[in-house]
Amino acid sequence: MSHQQQSFWTKYIFSTDHKTIGKQYLFFGLFFLLWGGLQAMVIRWQQIYIGVEVPLVGKLIWPDSGGILTPDIYNQLITMHGTIMLFWAITPLLTGAFGNFVVPLQIGARDMAFPVLNMLSFWVFFLSGGVLLGSHFLKTGPSASGWTAYPPLSTPVGGIPGWGQTMWILSLVLMGVAVILGAINFVTTVIRLRAPGMGFFKMPLTVWGFWLSSILNAVFVPIIAAGLIFLLLDNVLGTQFFIAGSKATVKGGDPLLYQHVFWLFGHPEVYILILPVWGIVSDLLATFSRKPAFGYKATVVSMCTVTALSGLVWGHHMYVTGMSPLLGKSFMFLTLLISIPTSIFFLNWIGTMWKGSLRFDVPMLFTMSIVFVFGLGGLTGLYLATVTSDMYLHDSMFLVGHFHYTLAASVFMASFAGIYFWFPKMFGRLMDPLLGKIHFWVSFLCLNYVFFNMIVVGYAGQHRRLFDPAVYDFIKPLMPLNKMISMFAFALGLVQLLFFFNFFRSLFRGKKADRNPWKAATLEWTLDHPIPHGNFQGEVVVKTGPHEYSHPDFKGRDWIAQTEELPKQ
Amino acid sequence: MARYLKIIFISAAAAVFLMGPAHAGIWYLPFPEDISLNGWRIDRVIKYIDVVITIAFGLVLAALIYFIFRYRARPGHRAVYDRGDRPVNILATVCLGLLVFFSIDLVIEKMSFHDLKEVFWNFPRGANVLKVEIMPQQFAWNFRYAGGDGEFSTEDDIVAPLNQMHVPVDTPVVVQMAPYDVVHAFYVANLRIKQDAVPGTVTTFWFQATKKGVYEIACSALCGIGHTNMRGFLTVESREDFQRWLAGLGTETSSEEDVWAAEETAGGILTKWGWKWQAKSQ
Ligand SMILES: [Cu+2]
Ligand SMILES: [Cu+2]
């Protein structure tokens, strides 16, 4: 861990410093967020201007069709939008950027447990992104079987031409390898490298979130990787693991097997992405309400309970596949149970703000909005957890609205909260608060408009992944509302440019931040920018919990850093 | 001044927000018309969850709005130090857990499972039950009727024209479904039914239509390039009209059927209409 004589390459590119790797993930994730976001814009364009050339980029990207979307291009777009947003935008932004940057600092570690593995993990991730991007340049286009890639559609039987599916599988397997390497690192780091005094119940909830999320990653990503390798064999070697029925030439294959494997990973994946969000929300609410996190231990227990339940509920994605009644009943019961721990930490979030002194800085605005959007996202999950209502709402725009509330809205609002919050620690400068507030309000209004009305049209019967919804008479009356959704989606996309402008301008021109601009109590705020490789000079001893705000016996300031003693009673 | 600006901004935002649906001429969109005997059961559980989540979300929203005004940081206001870990808090947490469990989870579970056990997974039997086999393929719907003998995979099976399903009104219809190629899903919004068709599996559902008319059948599982256009029609008509329609189909289609029938279970693998009616649902 010597800090001398680092060349440009070892300092910025092949760095083993968790802070640099975190920043690499941040830029990587933002790039893919932009990419996936543009795809969303084109998808919304298609929903209202069917058969009209996509403006600006259409002719450039799809010269063969004259810039007009065709059904196969549309299927490629929805597939890539989902895949990219989940695995190459959210994952690097949360676990990659904040996990790497924040977790070692918050537990008082000098780096991750395995710094070289950490670097390797990033570069495998980078490679996987390259493979996925590369598949866009195939003559036949990228994968078009949906982000879930259900066989037999995703096998040669499905009739989708080209190598898009194969490259999709390869990129996902590589991504899985990167995630597993990262997860092992996080789990070990949190167990082994906590500073003296940093007991498990003194860890910031952000660390809890990333730690539990990494445990799920380490357990469930290998499962999907295995499933995808079987799918790869079906694609390139002509095996028939997931092919059955009239098109099968040998016995024994089963597409349902893939669905089980996919969702056995797929449901925990939701929590892999959302657990860090819960952690960040809990911590930031405390910081900006100037109060200790309400019911800290209950929140931790709730998060652990959800983590444990997450591997037992995957069947709720398969209620309409002809599942056995007994299984349907059990999966419904287990899924509904999740409402108990979630309602408990919701209560604690409200409790944290209760009688606080709320500071509406930009990170706090984003954090409070997560209470709102995740509330809606979580509650709409009840309809889909219930077998009978799922019969009607399965595979509908309702489902699309629901998971965009939980995964898109909550997770991206948390990513933004995290970026605005940790930007000063990462780059030594503050982002512009006025631009931040405009970014927040426009994003908040637009995303609610978009996702709420997706729920509304789903309620009214519109099913999803439709190239041209107006083909159906029962959807025709919904087209005006679909059009409005698209308009607000465009506004939502446009205002993100303001964020990117603010981000890059602040990198160079932002106001210089002092050591602790938010008056936060966790360990990363005891360090001056730039934090050297190795983080802490001398030994760090942790003496108090992560959210000691407004302690009545502590005069002078309203926060006590984790390295300071609590006042004697 | 800043305060007025804020109020103006918030009202403007609210106006924009509500204008969209008003412009579209809709705010709350009703469900498609329910033409089935048991669709109300699905609507009922949805309505119950509507009420539950409106209350829960309303409470969260009310707290958020109240706290924003009441507890905003301002000179002279200090947060109250409270870790929320006293016995009274733990008691409140346990009570909330129990409340959620008994008023939400158990009610929904009971309501839904009752409907499943008594209705949706309880297949009607008897002479007046109409049996239909559906075989979706890329990108169309095939429907097959048993013909005079009531048995499938026999000489007199009747295959309907592509994408045309007819059923008599007020008659229980039991459907068995297996796709030709990839996963499809049978979706009729007016029946509140969605059922996947998975290769290698025969899935079963039943419904009873209560209103005559022509309704749309959609495929709700992504099945490839023609997914959107996989549109079929469900005609609900009187028993006489139905019989007339069935009789008018002739045997032409069913003679083509014979070719398939010969290879039906070759090697135990389903080919085309390769499945015999599965006995479990009679
Ligand atoms: Cu799930
Ligand atoms: Cu389809």
Side-chain angles (χ1 to χ4, degrees), chain A residues 25 179 205 222 311 315 422 473 547:
Chain A
Y25 269 117
V179 166
L205 289 159
W422 280 299
D473 288 334
H547 322 101

Side-chain angles (χ1 to χ4, degrees), chain B residues 139 183-185 219-224 226-228 230:
Chain B
F139 301 96
V183 178
H184 301 271
C219 172
S220 69
L222 182 68
C223 54
H227 168 58
T228 306
M230 214 173 134

Side-chain angles (χ1 to χ4, degrees), chain A residues 262-478:
Chain A
F262 185 88
W263 291 115
L264 179 55
F265 152 81
H267 190 84
E269 173 68 10
V270 175
Y271 293 108
I272 287 167
L273 301 174
I274 205 82
L275 275 161
V277 174
W278 293 341
I280 291 173
V281 169
S282 307
D283 278 348
L284 264 56
L285 278 181
T287 306
F288 289 95
S289 305
R290 316 308 295 165
K291 271 187 69 192
F294 197 85
Y296 173 98
K297 281 190 185 164
T299 306
V300 170
V301 172
S302 302
M303 282 164 72
C304 293
T305 313
V306 175
T307 306
L309 279 174
S310 72
L312 304 173
V313 297
W314 77 91
H316 61 221
H317 298 267
M318 299 170 62
Y319 287 150
V320 300
T321 56
M323 178 177 264
S324 116
L326 192 62
L327 275 181
K329 182 188 179 182
S330 322
F331 278 124
M332 169 161 60
F333 184 72
L334 287 164
T335 307
L336 287 169
L337 279 187
I338 294 178
S339 63
I340 298 172
T342 32
S343 60
I344 288 173
F345 61 70
F346 248 89
L347 180 75
N348 286 339
W349 289 349
I350 302 284
T352 305
M353 287 184 278
W354 179 51
K355 292 188 177 173
S357 173
L358 311 186
R359 294 188 187 165
F360 302 114
D361 293 306
V362 179
M364 177 62 159
L365 293 177
F366 279 97
T367 307
M368 286 179 74
S369 78
I370 296 164
V371 180
F372 183 95
V373 293
F374 188 73
L376 274 176
L379 287 167
T380 44
L382 283 176
Y383 298 92
L384 302 164
T386 308
V387 184
T388 39
S389 44
D390 186 60
M391 281 174 168
Y392 176 58
L393 295 168
H394 187 84
D395 265 340
S396 70
M397 287 303 284
F398 182 97
L399 168 83
V400 177
H402 157 73
F403 73 67
H404 276 83
Y405 258 119
T406 50
L407 287 181
S410 308
V411 172
F412 286 124
M413 292 313 240
S415 301
F416 289 133
I419 289 173
Y420 285 101
F421 185 73
W422 280 299
F423 194 87
K425 194 50 52 191
M426 284 181 154
F427 303 108
R429 292 171 188 273
L430 287 161
M431 284 177 76
D432 185 78
L434 180 67
L435 291 181
K437 280 181 184 167
I438 298 173
H439 172 225
F440 167 74
W441 280 107
V442 180
S443 298
F444 179 68
L445 287 173
C446 291
L447 73 83
N448 272 295
Y449 191 93
V450 171
F451 301 145
F452 190 80
N453 286 307
M454 281 182 175
I455 287 179
V456 171
V457 294
Y459 240 56
Q462 182 175 340
H463 49 300
R464 68 175 176 157
R465 291 170 164 175
L466 293 179
F467 172 71
D468 176 5
V471 162
Y472 292 92
D473 288 334
F474 71 94
I475 299 179
K476 278 199 183 107
L478 310 177

